[in-house]
Amino acid sequence: MSYSSLEQCLNDLEKNDHLVRIKEEVDPYLEMAAIHLRVHEGGGPALLFENVKGSKFRAASNIFGSLERSKFIFRDTLASVQKLIELKNDPVKAIKSPFKNFSTGLAALKALPLKNPSSKPVLAEEIQITDLPLIHHWPMDGGAFVTLPQVYTEDIDDPGIMKANLGMYRIQLTGNKYEPNKEIGLHYQLHRGIGIHQSKANKKGQPLKVSCFVGGPPSHTLSAVMPLPEGISEMTFAGVLGGRRFRYTYKDGFCVSTDADFVITGEVYPEENKPEGPFGDHLGYYSLQHPFPLMKVRKVYARKNAIWPFTVVGRPPQEDTSFGQLIHELTGDAIPQEIPGLKEVHAVDAAGVHPLLLAIGSERYTPYMPAKKPAEILTIANHILGTGQLSLAKFLFITADDSNRLKTHEVREYMEYLLQRIDLTRDVHFHTNTTIDTLDYSGTGLNSGSKVVFAAYGDVKRELCKLVPFSLKNLQHFENAQLCMPGVVSIEARPFTTYEAARQEMDILNVQLKQKKDQLLHTQFIIVCDDSNFVSEKLNNYLWVTYTRCNPSHDIYGIDSFTINKHWGCNGPLVIDARIKPHHAPPVEKDPTIERKIDRLFNKGGSLYQVLK
């Protein structure tokens, strides 16, 4: 389907049993988000909220709530886009098979944006920020946020849509010190596309013109999160993916997506920031309040019967997980082709995406060595940590598999494979005093922390424990040892207070286990945590707690550890302190009162009765 609007897409979803309408009045303060979360967790349909308290506009969520639904939305164009990406990676294919790839060339014709179309539905009326569905997602959020924005900016030195940037950066509409209807907050880093545009405008002492598109054809939303190579316009990609050219015009000097449901225009002035946040984020914690660019609102436009799309961000998996899955479907091997020797890389969703990467590389440097050991994969690891969004990772596990049977998406099997082969005296490599994700509060400061690479290769060195070793029971100051997965055991300790105290506690643990390390040969990781039952309950809990609550340089210890020529290793198990630290952001949690209030929609007579089966 070449959807010309969001409503056309939603009607198509409804016709094919992918959408349910909610007719009851629903409060945008916490209720709408809670409904979305319950439906998404239950694998339910897309939702159309027809009666939003305090707003005349409808709202929609869970549109991309499953990979199946996302692929249904783009069913007519998915294959063409995949082939275009494939041809870009291997253009010789197009030359060898010109007739076979003819349809792909036709699809590419949709890439050219269309300026000043005869119909401009988004300019139907001018409204204010307070007219919008002001959705407050989590109890501690700083206000209402736009969670599916398409933020458009142009390069002041090279203006025009073909060099423009369209990104998905969250936008705070209310709260904090923002002047209602006149100011909103933008959350982005200066190294991102929009940040580069702002830096250039700042140097000239000029404000950056910003247009925020909301809604419109679903291809526009996906294009805003698509990791496109430098020089490829998101608007051209939106045209190809949507099977319809991206339509736009200019109003008062601002670019306007004419097919959008809403457009907010405004300017970001040099050095004008205001506190933005807190906001429940994709790591499963609140990103706290920090100064971020202030946008002074010029005008807000809405099409007739506009629909406000939104999602809820929180501990994964959430709707943005489907975005990631769909992007992987589209791009396939794009990243491995960018990094020589890399076969696969997987950002683990359960660990908040950015903190944990699993990778498989080739190992060709030492084919005739008597013992296999990491060589080429260390070079690949450095390349990974210097590439785009992958550079935000804190933990990178990398190995090579000569049989080509190992898969990074099979997380448990991958971790077992690596832990069977790792040499903790040799295969742990730290990167200290470096940058991490701005939203990750486990580090030493905003955007500051460390990384660690576990690079293992070779023959199996051990079988992994499948029961808790006796040596980890009846310890002083550490209790309730539980098996998280083969080779990984969690134990509880008292709440974390200071790093000095933590080092003393780890010294106590080391004294107790150093003489018993021969009894722990089958245990590679010990996870020190606040709640061992929770961490060991399921794999996703282990992944989330361990890799979101740890700053590698500060929180990794080892039994019988040593440092030789600046290299750190340990002769016994590696210990990860995954307790909550005082400087960590609080985890997002549902409000029990709101959960009881929304039961009315799921009870008999409610719009969502028996929707979740």
Side-chain angles (χ1 to χ4, degrees):
M1 291 289 291
S2 298
Y3 302 117
S4 61
S5 67
L6 175 59
E7 182 155 32
Q8 188 180 13
C9 170
L10 298 180
N11 288 339
D12 185 39
L13 289 177
E14 183 177 37
K15 199 180 303 180
N16 289 276
D17 299 321
H18 284 291
L19 179 139
V20 168
R21 294 172 183 261
I22 297 176
K23 301 185 181 302
E24 295 91 337
E25 182 183 72
V26 180
D27 196 331
Y29 180 77
L30 301 182
E31 281 192 12
M32 290 174 69
I35 293 164
H36 165 97
L37 285 169
R38 190 179 295 187
V39 170
H40 180 268
E41 287 168 7
L47 302 173
L48 180 59
F49 295 84
E50 295 191 317
N51 192 350
V52 179
K53 184 178 179 180
S55 177
K56 69 176 183 179
F57 296 109
R58 296 167 294 167
S61 78
N62 210 30
I63 301 165
F64 304 95
S66 69
L67 180 60
E68 176 197 9
R69 187 152 60 248
S70 298
K71 290 172 75 171
F72 174 81
I73 290 171
F74 300 114
R75 61 194 181 277
D76 293 337
T77 59
L78 207 58
S80 295
V81 172
Q82 288 170 323
K83 187 161 284 188
L84 273 173
I85 292 173
E86 185 183 334
L87 290 177
K88 181 187 178 300
N89 292 332
D90 188 5
V92 175
K93 283 189 178 180
I95 299 170
K96 288 182 177 177
S97 309
F99 295 105
K100 183 179 176 183
N101 294 296
F102 179 70
S103 62
T104 305
L106 290 177
L109 293 175
K110 304 289 186 182
L112 190 64
L114 178 62
K115 188 176 182 180
N116 292 324
S118 57
S119 176
K120 304 178 181 65
V122 78
L123 299 178
E125 64 174 316
E126 196 173 320
I127 62 171
Q128 295 193 92
I129 295 293
T130 48
D131 294 323
L132 301 169
L134 298 174
I135 302 170
H136 192 116
H137 297 82
W138 294 100
M140 289 175 56
D141 278 358
F145 284 81
V146 191
T147 50
L148 289 178
Q150 308 151 39
V151 183
Y152 177 98
T153 56
E154 295 187 6
D155 187 330
I156 198 167
D157 293 330
D158 193 4
I161 198 164
M162 298 307 288
K163 297 292 180 67
N165 180 73
L166 190 74
M168 191 169 285
Y169 315 104
R170 75 174 189 243
I171 298 176
Q172 185 169 347
L173 297 174
T174 63
N176 297 349
K177 297 180 180 178
Y178 300 123
E179 192 175 346
N181 292 316
K182 295 183 179 180
E183 297 175 342
I184 58 179
L186 302 180
H187 183 106
Y188 58 84
Q189 288 79 49
L190 288 177
H191 66 276
R192 306 292 286 274
I194 184 175
I196 294 169
H197 288 174
Q198 186 192 342
S199 296
K200 287 187 174 185
N202 286 355
K203 284 182 181 178
K204 294 181 180 293
Q206 296 180 23
L208 176 69
K209 291 184 181 296
V210 179
S211 300
C212 172
F213 314 144
V214 182
S219 62
H220 296 190
T221 301
L222 184 63
S223 296
V225 294
M226 192 73 188
L228 297 173
E230 286 291 327
I232 296 182
S233 162
E234 288 84 4
M235 279 57 68
T236 63
F237 184 82
V240 176
L241 182 61
R244 173 183 168 85
R245 295 170 68 182
F246 184 94
R247 287 153 166 77
Y248 72 104
T249 190
Y250 284 89
K251 185 81 171 172
D252 303 324
F254 294 89
C255 184
V256 170
S257 169
T258 57
D259 284 341
D261 283 74
F262 302 87
V263 174
I264 305 170
T265 63
E267 293 165 316
V268 175
Y269 285 81
E271 308 302 326
E272 286 202 19
N273 299 323
K274 278 192 176 181
E276 183 266 1
F279 177 74
D281 222 308
H282 68 265
L283 292 180
Y285 306 89
Y286 287 94
S287 58
L288 302 180
Q289 194 177 91
H290 297 286
F292 274 96
L294 174 71
M295 176 172 160
K296 294 189 175 178
V297 178
R298 277 288 193 92
K299 290 185 178 178
V300 185
Y301 303 101
R303 69 188 296 156
K304 186 179 179 183
N305 298 319
I307 299 171
W308 182 264
F310 74 96
T311 188
V312 181
V313 188
R315 181 188 165 185
Q318 297 292 349
E319 187 176 359
D320 50 7
T321 301
S322 300
F323 273 129
Q325 292 171 333
L326 184 59
I327 288 169
H328 182 76
E329 286 272 330
L330 289 166
T331 58
D333 298 327
I335 290 177
Q337 290 191 15
E338 186 181 338
I339 300 176
L342 179 63
K343 295 180 180 179
E344 282 187 34
V345 63
H346 173 47
V348 180
D349 187 68
V353 181
H354 291 150
L356 176 61
L357 296 180
L358 308 182
I360 300 171
S362 56
E363 192 56 84
R364 301 166 295 189
Y365 284 7
T366 55
Y368 306 112
M369 293 288 285
K372 295 178 179 179
K373 65 178 184 178
E376 184 179 4
I377 57 174
L378 288 171
T379 301
I380 297 168
N382 288 331
H383 200 153
I384 290 172
L385 293 178
T387 301
Q389 294 283 77
L390 301 179
S391 66
L392 299 175
K394 286 189 304 182
F395 288 84
L396 169 58
F397 289 74
I398 186 167
T399 189
D401 171 30
D402 298 333
S403 71
N404 292 317
R405 289 197 294 265
L406 189 65
K407 300 294 181 185
T408 54
H409 282 76
E410 296 169 358
V411 176
R412 182 186 294 273
E413 291 78 4
Y414 176 96
M415 297 287 272
E416 288 185 30
Y417 180 95
L418 188 140
L419 292 176
Q420 287 173 336
R421 290 162 174 79
I422 196 166
D423 181 345
L424 292 173
T425 68
R426 179 193 67 196
D427 294 341
V428 184
H429 308 273
F430 288 95
H431 297 243
T432 60
N433 295 319
T434 187
T435 57
I436 59 174
D437 189 357
T438 304
L439 304 177
D440 190 330
Y441 286 85
S442 67
T444 52
L446 186 65
N447 208 35
S448 300
S450 62
K451 305 176 188 296
V452 66
V453 175
F454 296 103
Y457 172 63
D459 298 324
V460 172
K461 290 180 169 57
R462 67 189 65 83
E463 290 302 313
L464 302 173
C465 68
K466 295 182 179 177
L467 296 172
V468 174
F470 183 77
S471 304
L472 296 179
K473 299 177 180 179
N474 303 315
L475 296 170
Q476 283 187 319
H477 305 299
F478 299 90
E479 59 187 21
N480 193 22
Q482 299 284 344
L483 187 76
C484 298
M485 59 169 284
V488 180
V489 175
S490 61
I491 54 175
E492 285 178 25
R494 290 174 296 187
F496 184 99
T497 53
T498 66
Y499 274 109
E500 183 179 353
R503 282 189 289 272
Q504 293 173 359
E505 290 167 330
M506 297 307 155
D507 285 343
I508 293 171
L509 182 63
N510 183 58
V511 168
Q512 295 181 80
L513 296 180
K514 187 174 180 179
Q515 304 305 319
K516 301 177 182 178
K517 61 179 184 285
D518 290 344
Q519 302 169 30
L520 295 170
L521 296 176
H522 307 290
T523 304
Q524 292 303 287
F525 286 1
I526 297 173
I527 312 302
V528 178
C529 61
D530 298 301
D531 185 347
S532 194
N533 290 336
F534 176 80
V535 173
S536 62
E537 181 184 8
K538 52 187 178 181
L539 180 66
N540 279 3
N541 288 0
Y542 155 66
L543 295 170
W544 181 59
V545 169
T546 303
Y547 299 105
T548 63
R549 297 180 184 177
C550 174
N551 179 15
S553 61
H554 288 54
D555 297 321
I556 288 181
Y557 304 83
I559 302 304
D560 194 16
S561 64
F562 60 86
T563 303
I564 299 177
N565 296 328
K566 310 296 189 299
H567 178 79
W568 182 93
C570 57
N571 292 299
L574 182 131
V575 180
I576 299 178
D577 187 349
R579 291 175 291 178
I580 292 178
K581 318 299 190 297
H583 60 280
H584 285 186
V588 294
E589 295 177 342
K590 297 177 182 177
D591 185 322
T593 304
I594 297 297
E595 291 300 308
R596 288 191 293 271
K597 283 183 69 176
I598 67 170
D599 284 342
R600 69 187 190 279
L601 279 79
F602 297 87
N603 294 336
K604 193 170 184 178
S607 293
L608 298 175
Y609 179 61
Q610 292 189 330
V611 164
L612 305 181
K613 296 175 182 176

